[in-house]
Amino acid sequence: MYFMFIKVADIRFKEDVVLALQSEGIHRASYIESRDLQKSLSDDLKLFTGFFAGDQNEAQVIITALIDDPSQADGVVHNLSQAGIDVHREPILRIILWPVTHVFDGPEGWVARPSDKTGS
Protein backbone atom coordinates (compact mmCIF):
# COMPACT_ATOMS: atom_id res chain seq x y z
CA MET A 1 0.00 0.00 0.00
CA TYR A 2 1.17 3.54 -0.79
CA PHE A 3 0.24 7.05 0.29
CA MET A 4 -0.16 9.19 -2.82
CA PHE A 5 0.24 12.97 -2.58
CA ILE A 6 -0.71 15.00 -5.64
CA LYS A 7 -0.09 18.73 -5.93
CA VAL A 8 -2.15 20.17 -8.79
CA ALA A 9 -0.29 23.39 -9.54
CA ASP A 10 -2.50 24.37 -12.48
CA ILE A 11 -6.03 24.29 -11.10
CA ARG A 12 -7.58 24.44 -14.56
CA PHE A 13 -6.94 20.67 -14.62
CA LYS A 14 -8.23 19.73 -11.15
CA GLU A 15 -11.38 18.04 -12.49
CA ASP A 16 -9.30 16.12 -15.03
CA VAL A 17 -7.05 14.83 -12.24
CA VAL A 18 -10.06 13.71 -10.19
CA LEU A 19 -11.47 11.88 -13.22
CA ALA A 20 -8.08 10.24 -13.84
CA LEU A 21 -8.05 9.03 -10.23
CA GLN A 22 -11.54 7.58 -10.57
CA SER A 23 -10.51 5.83 -13.80
CA GLU A 24 -7.79 4.04 -11.82
CA GLY A 25 -10.24 2.91 -9.14
CA ILE A 26 -9.07 5.50 -6.60
CA HIS A 27 -12.27 6.70 -4.94
CA ARG A 28 -11.45 7.45 -1.30
CA ALA A 29 -9.27 10.50 -1.75
CA SER A 30 -9.07 13.81 0.09
CA TYR A 31 -9.20 17.09 -1.81
CA ILE A 32 -7.71 20.22 -0.22
CA GLU A 33 -7.59 23.69 -1.72
CA SER A 34 -4.31 25.38 -0.90
CA ARG A 35 -1.94 28.18 -1.82
CA ASP A 36 1.51 27.92 -3.40
CA LEU A 37 3.80 29.50 -0.81
CA GLN A 38 6.65 29.95 -3.27
CA LYS A 39 4.45 32.18 -5.41
CA SER A 40 2.90 33.88 -2.37
CA LEU A 41 6.25 34.79 -0.84
CA SER A 42 7.96 35.81 -4.07
CA ASP A 43 6.58 39.35 -3.85
CA ASP A 44 7.93 41.27 -0.85
CA LEU A 45 5.03 43.71 -0.98
CA LYS A 46 2.62 40.96 0.05
CA LEU A 47 4.09 41.01 3.54
CA PHE A 48 2.59 44.47 3.90
CA THR A 49 -0.53 44.21 1.76
CA GLY A 50 -1.86 40.93 3.13
CA PHE A 51 -0.34 37.48 2.82
CA PHE A 52 -3.66 35.63 2.43
CA ALA A 53 -5.20 38.06 -0.05
CA GLY A 54 -3.38 36.35 -2.92
CA ASP A 55 -4.56 35.99 -6.47
CA GLN A 56 -5.72 33.01 -8.52
CA ASN A 57 -2.16 32.32 -9.76
CA GLU A 58 -1.24 31.18 -6.25
CA ALA A 59 -4.12 28.69 -5.97
CA GLN A 60 -3.39 24.98 -6.08
CA VAL A 61 -5.06 21.76 -5.01
CA ILE A 62 -3.68 18.93 -2.88
CA ILE A 63 -5.15 15.46 -3.30
CA THR A 64 -4.19 12.56 -1.05
CA ALA A 65 -5.19 8.91 -1.29
CA LEU A 66 -4.12 5.40 -0.41
CA ILE A 67 -3.35 3.22 -3.41
CA ASP A 68 -2.48 -0.46 -3.69
CA ASP A 69 0.23 -0.25 -6.31
CA PRO A 70 2.45 2.43 -7.92
CA SER A 71 1.04 1.40 -11.30
CA GLN A 72 -2.14 3.27 -10.33
CA ALA A 73 -0.13 6.52 -10.21
CA ASP A 74 1.33 5.65 -13.62
CA GLY A 75 -2.24 5.14 -14.80
CA VAL A 76 -3.27 8.59 -13.59
CA VAL A 77 -0.44 10.18 -15.58
CA HIS A 78 -1.30 8.04 -18.62
CA ASN A 79 -5.01 8.97 -18.42
CA LEU A 80 -4.16 12.67 -18.28
CA SER A 81 -1.81 12.33 -21.26
CA GLN A 82 -4.50 10.47 -23.21
CA ALA A 83 -6.89 13.35 -22.47
CA GLY A 84 -4.46 15.72 -24.22
CA ILE A 85 -2.99 17.23 -21.05
CA ASP A 86 0.76 17.67 -21.45
CA VAL A 87 1.82 16.62 -17.94
CA HIS A 88 5.31 15.74 -19.17
CA ARG A 89 6.20 19.24 -20.41
CA GLU A 90 4.00 21.61 -18.42
CA PRO A 91 4.14 22.18 -14.63
CA ILE A 92 0.61 20.90 -14.06
CA LEU A 93 1.06 18.45 -11.22
CA ARG A 94 3.50 16.62 -8.96
CA ILE A 95 2.87 13.12 -7.64
CA ILE A 96 4.74 11.69 -4.65
CA LEU A 97 4.33 8.13 -3.32
CA TRP A 98 5.37 6.82 0.09
CA PRO A 99 5.19 3.16 1.13
CA VAL A 100 2.74 2.68 4.00
CA THR A 101 3.29 0.12 6.76
CA HIS A 102 0.28 0.74 9.00
CA VAL A 103 -3.31 1.74 8.18
CA PHE A 104 -6.22 1.70 10.62
CA ASP A 105 -9.52 2.50 8.92
CA GLY A 106 -12.40 2.86 11.36
CA PRO A 107 -14.83 -0.07 11.31
CA GLU A 108 -12.58 -2.03 8.94
CA GLY A 109 -9.84 -2.10 11.58
CA TRP A 110 -6.22 -2.64 10.56
CA VAL A 111 -6.14 -2.65 6.77
CA ALA A 112 -2.34 -2.92 6.67
CA ARG A 113 0.38 -3.56 9.22
CA PRO A 114 3.68 -5.46 9.13
CA SER A 115 2.62 -8.32 11.42
CA ASP A 116 -0.47 -9.06 9.33
CA LYS A 117 0.00 -8.32 5.60
CA THR A 118 -3.67 -9.02 4.82
CA GLY A 119 -5.17 -6.66 7.42
CA SER A 120 -7.54 -7.18 10.39
Side-chain angles (χ1 to χ4, degrees), residues 103-113 115-120:
V103 176
F104 182 85
D105 195 2
E108 292 182 42
W110 285 104
V111 179
R113 61 183 171 183
S115 62
D116 182 8
K117 299 281 186 198
T118 60
S120 296

PDB file of all heavy atoms in Angstrom, residues 103-113 115-120:
ATOM      1  N   VAL A 103      -2.088   0.994   8.494  1.00  0.00           N
ATOM      2  CA  VAL A 103      -3.310   1.739   8.181  1.00  0.00           C
ATOM      3  C   VAL A 103      -4.431   1.187   9.053  1.00  0.00           C
ATOM      4  O   VAL A 103      -4.731  -0.006   8.997  1.00  0.00           O
ATOM      5  CB  VAL A 103      -3.716   1.601   6.701  1.00  0.00           C
ATOM      6  CG1 VAL A 103      -5.052   2.311   6.449  1.00  0.00           C
ATOM      7  CG2 VAL A 103      -2.654   2.141   5.780  1.00  0.00           C
ATOM      8  N   PHE A 104      -5.015   2.048   9.856  1.00  0.00           N
ATOM      9  CA  PHE A 104      -6.216   1.701  10.621  1.00  0.00           C
ATOM     10  C   PHE A 104      -7.347   2.499  10.017  1.00  0.00           C
ATOM     11  O   PHE A 104      -7.258   3.721   9.885  1.00  0.00           O
ATOM     12  CB  PHE A 104      -6.049   2.047  12.102  1.00  0.00           C
ATOM     13  CG  PHE A 104      -7.252   1.659  12.916  1.00  0.00           C
ATOM     14  CD1 PHE A 104      -7.383   0.376  13.398  1.00  0.00           C
ATOM     15  CD2 PHE A 104      -8.247   2.584  13.173  1.00  0.00           C
ATOM     16  CE1 PHE A 104      -8.501   0.010  14.134  1.00  0.00           C
ATOM     17  CE2 PHE A 104      -9.362   2.230  13.904  1.00  0.00           C
ATOM     18  CZ  PHE A 104      -9.496   0.934  14.396  1.00  0.00           C
ATOM     19  N   ASP A 105      -8.426   1.844   9.638  1.00  0.00           N
ATOM     20  CA  ASP A 105      -9.516   2.497   8.921  1.00  0.00           C
ATOM     21  C   ASP A 105     -10.852   2.204   9.590  1.00  0.00           C
ATOM     22  O   ASP A 105     -11.616   1.341   9.150  1.00  0.00           O
ATOM     23  CB  ASP A 105      -9.520   2.041   7.463  1.00  0.00           C
ATOM     24  CG  ASP A 105     -10.372   2.933   6.582  1.00  0.00           C
ATOM     25  OD1 ASP A 105     -10.925   3.925   7.076  1.00  0.00           O
ATOM     26  OD2 ASP A 105     -10.480   2.627   5.389  1.00  0.00           O
ATOM     27  N   GLY A 106     -11.117   2.926  10.661  1.00  0.00           N
ATOM     28  CA  GLY A 106     -12.398   2.860  11.361  1.00  0.00           C
ATOM     29  C   GLY A 106     -12.950   1.461  11.543  1.00  0.00           C
ATOM     30  O   GLY A 106     -12.256   0.578  12.044  1.00  0.00           O
ATOM     31  N   PRO A 107     -14.185   1.228  11.105  1.00  0.00           N
ATOM     32  CA  PRO A 107     -14.829  -0.069  11.311  1.00  0.00           C
ATOM     33  C   PRO A 107     -14.105  -1.249  10.637  1.00  0.00           C
ATOM     34  O   PRO A 107     -14.260  -2.383  11.068  1.00  0.00           O
ATOM     35  CB  PRO A 107     -16.220   0.109  10.697  1.00  0.00           C
ATOM     36  CG  PRO A 107     -16.440   1.567  10.632  1.00  0.00           C
ATOM     37  CD  PRO A 107     -15.078   2.200  10.509  1.00  0.00           C
ATOM     38  N   GLU A 108     -13.313  -0.958   9.615  1.00  0.00           N
ATOM     39  CA  GLU A 108     -12.580  -2.034   8.945  1.00  0.00           C
ATOM     40  C   GLU A 108     -11.410  -2.528   9.779  1.00  0.00           C
ATOM     41  O   GLU A 108     -10.865  -3.596   9.531  1.00  0.00           O
ATOM     42  CB  GLU A 108     -12.071  -1.563   7.578  1.00  0.00           C
ATOM     43  CG  GLU A 108     -13.162  -1.320   6.570  1.00  0.00           C
ATOM     44  CD  GLU A 108     -12.613  -0.898   5.230  1.00  0.00           C
ATOM     45  OE1 GLU A 108     -11.607  -1.488   4.790  1.00  0.00           O
ATOM     46  OE2 GLU A 108     -13.188   0.027   4.639  1.00  0.00           O
ATOM     47  N   GLY A 109     -10.975  -1.728  10.743  1.00  0.00           N
ATOM     48  CA  GLY A 109      -9.841  -2.104  11.579  1.00  0.00           C
ATOM     49  C   GLY A 109      -8.526  -1.900  10.855  1.00  0.00           C
ATOM     50  O   GLY A 109      -8.390  -1.017  10.011  1.00  0.00           O
ATOM     51  N   TRP A 110      -7.546  -2.746  11.179  1.00  0.00           N
ATOM     52  CA  TRP A 110      -6.225  -2.639  10.565  1.00  0.00           C
ATOM     53  C   TRP A 110      -6.292  -3.173   9.142  1.00  0.00           C
ATOM     54  O   TRP A 110      -6.487  -4.358   8.921  1.00  0.00           O
ATOM     55  CB  TRP A 110      -5.183  -3.408  11.363  1.00  0.00           C
ATOM     56  CG  TRP A 110      -4.802  -2.694  12.615  1.00  0.00           C
ATOM     57  CD1 TRP A 110      -5.200  -2.996  13.878  1.00  0.00           C
ATOM     58  CD2 TRP A 110      -3.985  -1.540  12.712  1.00  0.00           C
ATOM     59  NE1 TRP A 110      -4.675  -2.084  14.764  1.00  0.00           N
ATOM     60  CE2 TRP A 110      -3.915  -1.184  14.084  1.00  0.00           C
ATOM     61  CE3 TRP A 110      -3.293  -0.753  11.784  1.00  0.00           C
ATOM     62  CZ2 TRP A 110      -3.187  -0.092  14.535  1.00  0.00           C
ATOM     63  CZ3 TRP A 110      -2.571   0.332  12.250  1.00  0.00           C
ATOM     64  CH2 TRP A 110      -2.522   0.657  13.606  1.00  0.00           C
ATOM     65  N   VAL A 111      -6.135  -2.288   8.183  1.00  0.00           N
ATOM     66  CA  VAL A 111      -6.135  -2.653   6.771  1.00  0.00           C
ATOM     67  C   VAL A 111      -4.745  -3.124   6.366  1.00  0.00           C
ATOM     68  O   VAL A 111      -4.597  -4.005   5.525  1.00  0.00           O
ATOM     69  CB  VAL A 111      -6.582  -1.455   5.892  1.00  0.00           C
ATOM     70  CG1 VAL A 111      -6.559  -1.810   4.426  1.00  0.00           C
ATOM     71  CG2 VAL A 111      -7.970  -0.995   6.317  1.00  0.00           C
ATOM     72  N   ALA A 112      -3.726  -2.528   6.971  1.00  0.00           N
ATOM     73  CA  ALA A 112      -2.343  -2.918   6.670  1.00  0.00           C
ATOM     74  C   ALA A 112      -1.490  -2.712   7.906  1.00  0.00           C
ATOM     75  O   ALA A 112      -1.626  -1.720   8.605  1.00  0.00           O
ATOM     76  CB  ALA A 112      -1.794  -2.075   5.521  1.00  0.00           C
ATOM     77  N   ARG A 113      -0.631  -3.678   8.184  1.00  0.00           N
ATOM     78  CA  ARG A 113       0.380  -3.560   9.222  1.00  0.00           C
ATOM     79  C   ARG A 113       1.379  -4.703   9.028  1.00  0.00           C
ATOM     80  O   ARG A 113       1.028  -5.760   8.497  1.00  0.00           O
ATOM     81  CB  ARG A 113      -0.202  -3.555  10.622  1.00  0.00           C
ATOM     82  CG  ARG A 113      -0.964  -4.796  10.995  1.00  0.00           C
ATOM     83  CD  ARG A 113      -1.544  -4.624  12.366  1.00  0.00           C
ATOM     84  NE  ARG A 113      -2.454  -5.714  12.657  1.00  0.00           N
ATOM     85  CZ  ARG A 113      -3.153  -5.793  13.750  1.00  0.00           C
ATOM     86  NH1 ARG A 113      -3.058  -4.853  14.654  1.00  0.00           N
ATOM     87  NH2 ARG A 113      -3.944  -6.807  13.958  1.00  0.00           N
ATOM     88  N   SER A 115       2.819  -6.992  10.841  1.00  0.00           N
ATOM     89  CA  SER A 115       2.621  -8.324  11.416  1.00  0.00           C
ATOM     90  C   SER A 115       1.505  -9.101  10.730  1.00  0.00           C
ATOM     91  O   SER A 115       1.413 -10.308  10.881  1.00  0.00           O
ATOM     92  CB  SER A 115       2.326  -8.201  12.916  1.00  0.00           C
ATOM     93  OG  SER A 115       1.135  -7.463  13.106  1.00  0.00           O
ATOM     94  N   ASP A 116       0.663  -8.413   9.998  1.00  0.00           N
ATOM     95  CA  ASP A 116      -0.466  -9.060   9.327  1.00  0.00           C
ATOM     96  C   ASP A 116      -0.642  -8.419   7.957  1.00  0.00           C
ATOM     97  O   ASP A 116      -1.371  -7.457   7.814  1.00  0.00           O
ATOM     98  CB  ASP A 116      -1.733  -8.883  10.172  1.00  0.00           C
ATOM     99  CG  ASP A 116      -2.940  -9.558   9.567  1.00  0.00           C
ATOM    100  OD1 ASP A 116      -2.798 -10.303   8.568  1.00  0.00           O
ATOM    101  OD2 ASP A 116      -4.037  -9.353  10.096  1.00  0.00           O
ATOM    102  N   LYS A 117      -0.006  -8.933   6.944  1.00  0.00           N
ATOM    103  CA  LYS A 117       0.003  -8.321   5.604  1.00  0.00           C
ATOM    104  C   LYS A 117      -1.386  -8.228   4.988  1.00  0.00           C
ATOM    105  O   LYS A 117      -1.625  -7.437   4.109  1.00  0.00           O
ATOM    106  CB  LYS A 117       0.908  -9.140   4.665  1.00  0.00           C
ATOM    107  CG  LYS A 117       2.334  -9.204   5.123  1.00  0.00           C
ATOM    108  CD  LYS A 117       3.075  -7.959   4.782  1.00  0.00           C
ATOM    109  CE  LYS A 117       4.526  -8.142   5.134  1.00  0.00           C
ATOM    110  NZ  LYS A 117       5.260  -6.959   5.245  1.00  0.00           N
ATOM    111  N   THR A 118      -2.338  -9.029   5.422  1.00  0.00           N
ATOM    112  CA  THR A 118      -3.672  -9.018   4.815  1.00  0.00           C
ATOM    113  C   THR A 118      -4.667  -8.150   5.564  1.00  0.00           C
ATOM    114  O   THR A 118      -5.797  -8.021   5.154  1.00  0.00           O
ATOM    115  CB  THR A 118      -4.228 -10.459   4.736  1.00  0.00           C
ATOM    116  OG1 THR A 118      -4.312 -10.985   6.068  1.00  0.00           O
ATOM    117  CG2 THR A 118      -3.357 -11.326   3.881  1.00  0.00           C
ATOM    118  N   GLY A 119      -4.272  -7.543   6.684  1.00  0.00           N
ATOM    119  CA  GLY A 119      -5.168  -6.664   7.425  1.00  0.00           C
ATOM    120  C   GLY A 119      -5.842  -7.383   8.574  1.00  0.00           C
ATOM    121  O   GLY A 119      -5.549  -8.517   8.892  1.00  0.00           O
ATOM    122  N   SER A 120      -6.805  -6.702   9.221  1.00  0.00           N
ATOM    123  CA  SER A 120      -7.543  -7.179  10.391  1.00  0.00           C
ATOM    124  C   SER A 120      -6.603  -7.861  11.329  1.00  0.00           C
ATOM    125  O   SER A 120      -6.847  -8.652  12.113  1.00  0.00           O
ATOM    126  CB  SER A 120      -8.702  -8.040   9.996  1.00  0.00           C
ATOM    127  OG  SER A 120      -9.609  -7.257   9.259  1.00  0.00           O
TER     128      SER A 120
END
